[in-house]
Amino acid sequence: MELMPRVRGLPLADHTAVKRALAEADLATLMAVLVQLSGEEIWLERCAPHIKPIIFDGAPLAGGGASIPAELGDQMRARLYDVLTGANPPPQRPIDSAIFQRIASVYMGEPVADEFVDCTMEQSGFVRFLDRDLGDVPAERRDFKVAIVGAGLTGIAMAIRLSADGYSCEIFDRNPDVGGTWFENQYPGVGVDTPSHYYSFSFELNPDWSHTFSSGDQVLAYLQRCAEQYDLYRKTRFSTEVVSLVYDDAAELWNVKTKSLLDGSERTVTANAVINAVGHTNGPKIPEFAGFEDLEVPWVHSARWHKDIDLHGKRVGLIGTGCSSMQIAVTIGPDVEQLTIFQRSAHWIRPVPINVVPEGAKWALRHIPYYGEWFRFRTYWTASDGNYVNVQIDPDWHMPNVSVSRHNEALRQRFLAHLENKMGDRPELMAKMIPDFPPYGKRTINDIGWCDLLRKDSVELETSGISHFVKSGVVTNDGRTLEFDFLILATGFQHVRMLHPLHIVGRNGVDLHDLWGEEDARAYKGVAVPHFPNLFLAASGPNTSPNHGAGANFVSEAHVHYIAETLNAMLARGARTIEVRQDAHDEYNAAIDDALKGLVWSHPKVRSYYVNSKGRPYLSCPYRLVDSWHMMRSPDLSHYHLSPPRVANAPEYIREVA
Ligand code: NAP
């Protein structure tokens, strides 16, 4: 008789560690694990009345939604202890979508609808992004060379997927290591503002995050580990800037011109396809301040920080109040003699838990089967489409000046209550901190100590505006000269100038930046542009940022999947090039513009880096993450031109040439 394989890793031998993990890990997550391992759905029935949705009106509910009675919790822990350590572990069976959905719905305290199931099973790591039965790699992929620009989060995912699919990849990065923005941003306090257990690849869950929101060096180490594990260092040309991409119509190849940042030497290589994975946060924005050239005070942009900067005991000016500024401020605040923060506009601030991940929970993430997947599902669910209601404009809303709907107003009240709670006894300071635009118009900022910092005597929130710079510092609009020993520009990035300064020339000599103009990038599904065959923008194109929720990693994986599927589909049909049709591109963009009209980023009071100077939100994706995921499952080849097939019996529609 053939024995059923048992769950890998069970039984767990370290009983002391199991007990500690069961005590310190998240109880609702343990419930999900118990039901999956044991098949005992009675635990769902017993827990259901005690679990409420984590997100309510777009805001996380205090306490994480679950208040399972202690006695029930003890019973579940005891039963799970037996399952994990007993001599007869449960059989290994893949989780099917029906049981996933039943567990997920109780675990989240709300129905997890059918449309979310495939997407969240993949995002949780239950259905592995890379585990597809490819069989033998088709020969046409092996000699199809793909150049990837950028070895950050997206470039790494792209290279991993394409390598798994059998392509030959070469990656270029101007930095001497992988990591992209996480390599470059080394400022004090740099860290994620997306929960760490979500901000990572679904196919490489990391059990070791130290905090709910972990530091940048942990993200960088994680990305380095992934690059190492998937053999990407060997395929990456470091300290190499891609300066131009020029398409050769006759050869159907891209000429990739690179420049070494070590010795200045230039080289041109060819590639069948090019993928831009350069992200949005890679060109520091240095505003054109009057008199800035006269400044004699040393200064740095947040993204160009270096370890020699010592601010101890100095008078420091910090310009900007975005995420970077806040992380810097709360970190350097206690060390400097005086900190003056220049705020041009107030940002909405949300309270967040600043949690250390207990050792027992880390152990559970590493050793208890499925705990990592379920916990990932929970962080995904909390940080994503539950927030979508906050950004939708209700056309009948009666307070359109300050908020856009009942949900958005409820959130505004929550944020105001947080400010009142923290700053109520400092009404003048609090008044400066209240934004004049609806919540979610700009990226909401986690209060990781910002309010407490601003209460300090040594910290000033300067709101009168910068008139100009002089040798020793800043002259404010009301005529005061503020002198500093050091200035920090946390003024953000040149998001709007997408793919600058890369020179990109497509079919018939069409220049991408001429096509887009200075700041109006457009693409089909954010990834493909007419006139640019075999060129893709992976999570670096227009209208792809999920500004209602977190998920740079989500977008990366969705785009990586789509691009790989598109190349696979093209080659499977014997074609060598694929180019999006103009009509498909235009239709897609018309729908984007239409959808954006109903969302908060189009609100007249919103001035943010999501919006270009003409008022068009060029960065935000107007769709829910789950919609984007479904949209990016597979290419609709009728939206593309394919180059003439090499196979004689190819279907008619792919014979059409641009
Ligand atoms: P940012 O959000 O663009 O903020 C820039 C700040 O500089 C804003 O307060 C802006 O004021 C101010 N500013 C810009 N030009 C100015 C001028 N001419 N005069 C005065 N003030 C000026 O930049 P960031 O904080 O570096 O963040 C950039 C991106 O990185 C964001 O997407 C952010 O979320 C992301 N980030 C992510 C993490 C993470 O954990 N994943 C961490 C840090 C940053 P206004 O508000 O008036 O425009």
Side-chain angles (χ1 to χ4, degrees), residues 48-67 104-111 378 381-382 386 414:
H50 309 293
I51 304 181
K52 302 274 172 289
I54 292 180
I55 296 258
F56 179 74
D57 263 340
L61 211 62
S67 51
S105 297
V106 171
Y107 181 34
M108 290 298 102
E110 60 183 323
R378 178 194 177 94
W381 193 257
T382 319
R414 259 172 236 266

Side-chain angles (χ1 to χ4, degrees), residues 182 187 190-194 199 281 285 287-289 302 319-325 327 342-345 347 442-443 466 490-493 495 607-609:
W182 295 106
Y187 58 77
V190 59
V192 285
D193 54 9
T194 303
Y199 190 92
T281 50
K285 181 179 139 195
E288 290 180 8
F289 292 116
S302 56
I319 302 176
T321 47
C323 297
S324 302
S325 166
Q327 291 178 343
F342 291 89
Q343 172 183 283
R344 184 168 66 177
S345 34
H347 293 219
K442 294 188 191 193
R443 194 172 169 114
I466 296 172
T491 42
F493 297 88
H495 305 266
R607 295 172 305 280
S608 76
Y609 68 84

Side-chain angles (χ1 to χ4, degrees), residues 614-628:
K614 298 184 191 78
R616 187 179 98 76
Y618 67 93
L619 199 66
S620 309
C621 175
Y623 307 124
R624 296 175 307 165
L625 289 166
V626 69
D627 300 323
S628 300

Side-chain angles (χ1 to χ4, degrees), residues 361-434:
K362 279 196 215 162
W363 196 92
L365 286 159
R366 182 177 287 283
H367 296 286
I368 296 184
Y370 312 125
Y371 185 90
E373 285 85 348
W374 280 114
F375 195 74
R376 163 112 175 165
F377 169 71
R378 178 194 177 94
T379 48
Y380 164 81
W381 193 257
T382 319
S384 56
D385 288 335
N387 298 310
Y388 193 71
V389 287
N390 294 321
V391 299
Q392 292 174 288
I393 296 175
D394 172 357
D396 298 323
W397 181 239
H398 64 287
M399 303 161 67
N401 258 346
V402 292
S403 50
V404 297
S405 67
R406 173 175 72 80
H407 301 286
N408 190 264
E409 177 60 22
L411 198 61
R412 198 176 77 92
Q413 292 303 330
R414 259 172 236 266
F415 292 166
L416 285 172
H418 175 62
L419 278 180
E420 178 68 39
N421 178 33
K422 288 283 187 183
M423 315 301 282
D425 59 339
R426 304 279 300 272
E428 277 180 30
L429 183 51
M430 182 172 146
K432 292 181 185 179
M433 297 171 70
I434 300 177

Side-chain angles (χ1 to χ4, degrees), residues 130-150:
L130 290 171
D131 275 0
R132 288 151 306 109
D133 185 11
L134 287 168
D136 290 337
V137 170
E140 65 271 14
R141 291 190 202 164
R142 266 183 257 128
D143 68 351
F144 193 89
K145 191 176 156 197
V146 184
I148 299 172
V149 188

